[in-house]
Amino acid sequence: MKFVELGSLLLLSCLTAVSCGGFRDSRDSFPETVFFANSVWPSARLRVCWEFKNSQTEEFTSQFKTVVERAFQGTKLSFSGWAVCPRHTRNTDLRIFIYDDPLADTQVGFADVRSLLGQAADRGHPRVPVPGRKMRGKRANVIFNLSGLHSDPFLGQMYDSLSPIGRRNLALSSSLHEFGHAIGLRHENVHPDNTCVGFDENLEWGDNIVTPYNPGSFMQRCFYRNFDYETGIVWPNEGDLEGINRIYR
């Protein structure tokens, strides 16, 4: 989320200049939420690892792996690995960093990785700083947050209002949303038929609409912000899966 945030997968980047109808200038001032023409991974098989793992995060990391496997079932996407990240970034694609790890102070190198995220007050916000295939070779290229610490104020308030179960569901949902960005998806509210008021985003050169407007998408910001996390998590719906399958054949 910077809440590169929750929603579906209507908007994906073009795979090639030819498929988008020629050369596109894909520059944008919000790189964490905009997906460039070369953001879609060349392979649907992605290697995942955790920058740090310990007993305090083991339950969440295990749950999230299960959520990802269920969420993208029926697509060509597969995610392997899920161990502690190797030293060399070339050996992995998605390197997940849990910003508010409860045992952060005991883990050698944790502060160094956190320092890579900058000094802004919301540096702990769930996000994908660089989208899709551009993530490869970068440390902490997927950021999760389990408590709202140093995050967008709205996200912090959401956590504060929820029970422990609701907080877990919110963390799983926001993290799954970030995986949507990691595979090349934009927020659903860039769609020309968007009905999400207050979160206006514009199509950029290199973006490609591949399915009809999907208001219940796991990439739609209004949908996830108004979701009842006490009852469950935000899953990709049929429209999301259709869009993914049109990109990753």
Side-chain angles (χ1 to χ4, degrees):
M1 294 174 18
K2 164 160 176 74
F3 222 164
V4 177
E5 307 171 16
L6 301 181
S8 154
L9 115 65
L10 262 208
L11 242 288
L12 295 120
S13 305
C14 299
L15 290 173
T16 66
V18 174
S19 67
C20 293
F23 175 77
R24 306 280 188 162
D25 180 356
S26 59
R27 292 172 296 178
D28 190 276
S29 59
F30 300 97
E32 74 276 22
T33 61
V34 174
F35 295 85
F36 303 99
N38 63 346
S39 69
V40 176
W41 295 87
S43 172
R45 298 180 178 181
L46 300 177
R47 298 163 297 179
V48 182
C49 66
W50 302 91
E51 292 285 1
F52 300 95
K53 287 183 70 176
N54 57 57
S55 60
Q56 293 296 306
T57 58
E58 184 176 1
E59 181 179 6
F60 175 81
T61 57
S62 177
Q63 288 177 338
F64 184 68
K65 177 178 180 292
T66 300
V67 163
V68 167
E69 291 171 346
R70 172 182 167 183
F72 298 107
Q73 187 177 17
T75 73
K76 292 294 183 64
L77 290 168
S78 65
F79 302 88
S80 62
W82 300 100
V84 176
C85 292
R87 178 177 180 181
H88 298 294
T89 57
R90 66 176 178 271
N91 295 329
T92 51
D93 300 314
L94 311 185
R95 299 178 64 102
I96 306 170
F97 180 60
I98 300 179
Y99 178 86
D100 51 351
D101 186 325
L103 293 183
D105 293 340
T106 69
Q107 302 185 89
V108 176
F110 188 96
D112 293 336
V113 175
R114 184 182 274 183
S115 70
L116 298 174
L117 307 181
Q119 301 301 315
D122 59 354
R123 66 186 182 275
H125 200 78
R127 65 193 187 279
V128 172
V130 181
R133 63 189 296 176
K134 294 190 175 204
M135 301 165 66
R136 180 173 290 158
K138 296 177 172 59
R139 293 203 68 181
N141 57 26
V142 184
I143 301 162
F144 289 173
N145 195 307
L146 311 185
S147 68
L149 177 68
H150 295 163
S151 185
D152 176 275
F154 183 84
L155 180 61
Q157 292 168 10
M158 288 178 71
Y159 273 108
D160 291 342
S161 69
L162 295 169
S163 69
I165 292 177
R167 292 177 183 178
R168 179 205 61 188
N169 290 341
L170 173 56
L172 290 170
S173 297
S174 66
S175 300
L176 186 58
H177 176 90
E178 295 316 315
F179 257 49
H181 289 303
I183 63 174
L185 307 184
R186 283 203 58 176
H187 286 137
E188 189 69 12
N189 38 300
V190 299
H191 196 289
D193 296 329
N194 172 52
T195 58
C196 177
V197 178
F199 295 101
D200 296 332
E201 296 183 37
N202 297 318
L203 289 171
E204 302 293 334
W205 291 115
D207 294 335
N208 187 30
I209 300 173
V210 297
T211 61
Y213 177 55
N214 184 359
S217 166
F218 81 121
M219 301 304 295
Q220 172 54 272
R221 299 172 79 181
C222 281
F223 183 71
Y224 84 75
R225 283 185 172 240
N226 294 299
F227 189 79
D228 181 5
Y229 293 102
E230 299 291 358
T231 62
I233 75 170
V234 178
W235 295 97
N237 61 24
E238 291 184 4
D240 294 324
L241 298 180
E242 178 185 354
I244 292 172
N245 284 329
R246 291 189 182 186
I247 296 299
Y248 292 97
R249 299 179 182 276

